[in-house]
Amino acid sequence: AVALSPGCPSRRDALSLIASAPMASFISVSHPEPANAAAEEGAATGHRTSPERAALLSAIASGADDSRVLATIESLVPIDPSGGRGASFSERLDGSWRLLWSAKAEAFSPLLQLPPPLRPDSYQYLGSAAAVEVGSDRVAQGLTGGVLGTSQIWLSSGTRPSADDPSVLDILPPFRLQLGGRPGSGRGKTTIVEAKDDADFRAVNARTVDAQRAPPNKYRQLYVEEGGPGALRISTITDGDPVIVGAVFVHQKI
């Protein structure tokens, strides 16, 4: 069952705190990376200078409507540097990622609907960046800044790469919603909600009975660049909770 900590917000209140990142998670997996570091760096630079990539970043920066941004994504995905195997590249996924843009954000936290400077920033922490904050074999989504100030809302869960598709991450419980400080702050986290399975967590999110019975979420990595800060990643929810299926996200490594 879902566990609510004493003195914490109600389940309805907790819903309003949930980050806009998908309820997806990552696990460190082994996959051969290019042995030649210089060649990898060159490949990363090449992908980062493509006109398709520049068009996407320009559309996001200019505040273009969703249809235009999605059109640029459709042009970029066919040249995915991971070759359709993005979920299996642990070194590329590892790190801290800032959400640049998302479609279907209305399905997530109302906090992300706020205008600047009230709207918080959304982050995703994978691999080693997540392990130090929420434990190994988990991913953390974070909201901080704006109305939250230096506090951070943490949503974490477990995952494993799909056995059927190297671009997909299978999403696993337990799901945990916490309030704490930013990464590295040393501030403790207060658990608001902990759910043992998808149905329990979706109930906290006020989903319908049918949505609670839907299969586990699957999180497809459509485009994953190699390299450090500045690398882009595009992802989407393909199966699971019907409220968020079809959501698309553009993250940039920081």
Side-chain angles (χ1 to χ4, degrees), residues 116-180:
L118 300 177
R119 183 174 62 240
D121 292 322
S122 180
Y123 297 89
Q124 195 171 66
Y125 308 96
L126 315 175
S128 61
V132 297
E133 295 289 346
V134 296
S136 60
D137 298 344
R138 294 179 69 78
V139 61
Q141 323 292 340
L143 279 185
T144 188
V147 295
L148 296 174
T150 59
S151 293
Q152 179 151 319
I153 295 168
W154 295 83
L155 172 63
S156 65
S157 59
T159 194
R160 62 172 170 249
S162 169
D164 303 317
D165 187 333
S167 72
V168 171
L169 292 163
D170 293 333
I171 310 314
L172 306 171
F175 302 95
R176 192 173 298 126
L177 180 66
Q178 299 173 296
L179 181 64

Side-chain angles (χ1 to χ4, degrees), residues 209-253:
V209 172
D210 286 343
Q212 293 174 39
R213 293 172 177 169
N217 295 344
K218 290 184 179 291
Y219 188 39
R220 173 165 290 160
Q221 308 305 297
L222 299 171
Y223 179 94
V224 183
E225 290 181 346
E226 56 266 79
L232 291 183
R233 179 168 54 87
I234 304 170
S235 54
T236 184
I237 306 291
T238 59
D239 298 277
D241 182 351
V243 175
I244 62 172
V245 166
V248 180
F249 308 89
V250 179
H251 284 90
Q252 187 166 43
K253 187 174 285 190

Side-chain angles (χ1 to χ4, degrees), residues 43-77:
T45 302
H47 288 119
R48 295 190 190 190
T49 58
S50 72
E52 294 86 356
R53 184 186 195 273
L56 171 61
L57 292 178
S58 176
I60 293 173
S62 66
D65 61 34
D66 287 357
S67 61
R68 180 182 164 197
V69 177
L70 288 169
T72 63
I73 288 174
E74 289 178 1
S75 297
L76 185 59
V77 167

Side-chain angles (χ1 to χ4, degrees), residues 22 76 84 88 92 100 120 166 187 228 236 240:
L76 185 59
S88 65
R92 298 186 189 189
L100 297 184
R187 178 178 164 186
T236 184

